[in-house]
């Protein structure tokens, strides 16, 4: 009997305009072309009720207290966990645009928030088999167009977010890979595809882990 092996949970992180969305889409397409089941997810998922609250906050149409919005971002991940687990068990590789790391990096860039406090609500989420951080300096990011009008889209805040990501990457319990995102879209894609193919083979025979536990 054919045994279905589980899919891998692959996350792309990085500051604004590093190329996360572009690369997630290309990776899903490439994996599908090579005969593997793959789907993209993104956080925040703005389609759910919680996601709509978050979206309105990001669009500055509403204000939410900082702790409250942090917990909503986390709840927005937890509400997707049953679906994520189901898909992984079905052998579908999930390629995710932002995850708990963005959650921690963005909230802890606000005054008065420790990394530890910010990590707590996401402890125990499905642990990514691979987290690729698209590394791009602020000047290069600026060349990719103006910041948008959403909350957090200022260069000073993004610099602090970048520092928080650097701190998170010190944690060796997470399989971080830093990708030089200053190259062409195709060059970056080649690296991402290779790393992903390796981890898909490795993850097959291991259970899904629990993040930060
Ligand atoms: P993110 O999801 O990280 O914010 P996007 O994938 O939306 O980034 O890309 C932001 C902009 O930069 C888009 O206009 C995209 O076409 C462009 N872009 C993405 N990757 C590259 C690259 N390697 N070189 C030049 N421009 C890029
Ligand atoms: P995009 O939809 O353009 O990626 O922007 N964020 C994201 C948080 O503050 N906390 C989180 O947990 C997550 C996943 C990053 C979404 C914005 O929301 C921020 C940018």
């Amino acid at each position: 009997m054919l045994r279905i092996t589980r899919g891998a949970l692959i996350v792309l992180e990085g500051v604004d305009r590093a190329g996360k969305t572009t690369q997630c889409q290309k990776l899903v397409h490439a994996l599908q072309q090579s005969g593997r089941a793959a789907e993209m997810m993104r956080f925040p998922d703005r389609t759910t009720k919680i996601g709509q609250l978050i979206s309105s906050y990001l669009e500055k149409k509403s204000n939410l207290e900082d702790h409250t919005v942090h917990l909503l971002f986390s709840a927005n991940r937890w509400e997707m966990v049953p679906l994520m687990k189901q898909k992984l068990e079905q052998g579908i590789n999930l390629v995710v645009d932002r995850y708990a790391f963005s959650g921690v990096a963005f909230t802890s860039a606000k005054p008065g928030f420790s990394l530890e406090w910010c990590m707590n609500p996401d402890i125990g989420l499905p642990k990514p088999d691979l987290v690729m951080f698209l590394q791009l300096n602020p000047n290069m990011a600026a060349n990719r167009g103006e910041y948008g009008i959403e909350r957090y889209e200022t260069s000073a805040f993004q610099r602090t977010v970048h520092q928080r990501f650097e701190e998170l990457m010190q944690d060796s319990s997470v399989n971080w890979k830093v990708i030089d995102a200053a190259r062409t879209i195709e060059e970056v894609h080649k690296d991402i595809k290779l790393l992903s193919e390796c981890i898909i083979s490795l993850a097959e025979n291991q259970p899904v882990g629990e993040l930060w536990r």
Side-chain angles (χ1 to χ4, degrees):
M1 204 176 75
L2 190 68
R3 188 173 68 98
I4 297 180
T5 52
R6 80 157 170 102
L9 180 56
I10 297 170
V11 169
L12 268 76
E13 284 282 8
V15 290
D16 220 53
R17 291 171 302 170
K20 297 179 297 298
T21 304
T22 306
Q23 293 297 334
C24 280
Q25 288 167 345
K26 281 185 77 73
L27 178 59
V28 167
H29 186 70
L31 292 174
Q32 288 172 346
Q33 289 290 106
S34 66
R36 296 177 177 89
E39 289 181 18
M40 181 170 163
M41 293 183 84
R42 68 176 312 137
F43 291 109
D45 180 334
R46 302 188 192 213
T47 64
T48 69
K49 288 201 180 102
I50 295 169
Q52 283 160 21
L53 292 174
I54 294 171
S55 188
S56 152
Y57 170 82
L58 288 171
E59 292 169 17
K60 299 180 189 163
K61 289 180 183 159
S62 64
N63 281 318
L64 289 167
E65 193 276 332
D66 288 332
H67 299 79
T68 309
V69 76
H70 182 74
L71 296 173
L72 285 176
F73 272 111
S74 177
N76 184 232
R77 284 181 280 281
W78 280 107
E79 67 178 331
M80 300 310 284
V81 167
L83 185 65
M84 291 171 76
K85 286 189 169 165
Q86 190 190 333
K87 287 188 184 287
L88 292 172
E89 276 163 23
Q90 288 170 346
I92 299 169
N93 297 291
L94 294 180
V95 177
V96 186
D97 188 345
R98 295 193 191 274
Y99 199 50
F101 314 99
S102 276
V104 176
F106 277 75
T107 302
S108 69
K110 297 177 179 180
F113 285 88
S114 67
L115 279 193
E116 194 197 0
W117 188 90
C118 293
M119 287 161 84
N120 256 306
D122 285 315
I123 293 176
L125 278 178
K127 181 178 177 170
D129 298 292
L130 172 65
V131 189
M132 288 175 279
F133 184 79
L134 301 191
Q135 185 79 265
L136 189 71
N137 72 45
N139 297 340
M140 292 285 290
N143 288 338
R144 293 187 182 173
E146 296 296 313
Y147 279 111
I149 52 158
E150 286 206 332
R151 217 177 274 269
Y152 304 145
E153 295 186 329
T154 67
S155 54
F157 192 76
Q158 294 280 329
R159 268 198 302 278
T160 314
V161 169
H162 196 236
Q163 285 165 9
R164 296 293 173 267
F165 273 123
E166 294 285 348
E167 289 171 48
L168 282 173
M169 283 192 274
Q170 304 301 312
D171 171 12
S172 58
S173 78
V174 173
N175 183 19
W176 286 100
K177 298 280 182 227
V178 178
I179 308 281
D180 174 8
R183 297 168 297 159
T184 67
I185 291 177
E186 286 307 323
E187 283 168 335
V188 176
H189 169 66
K190 215 170 128 200
D191 280 6
I192 288 179
K193 181 164 168 275
L194 200 64
L195 286 165
S196 300
E197 285 168 346
C198 289
I199 211 67
I200 286 169
S201 308
L202 279 174
E204 273 177 3
N205 302 307
Q206 289 169 10
V208 181
E210 291 179 282
L211 182 63
W212 293 326
R213 190 171 265 159

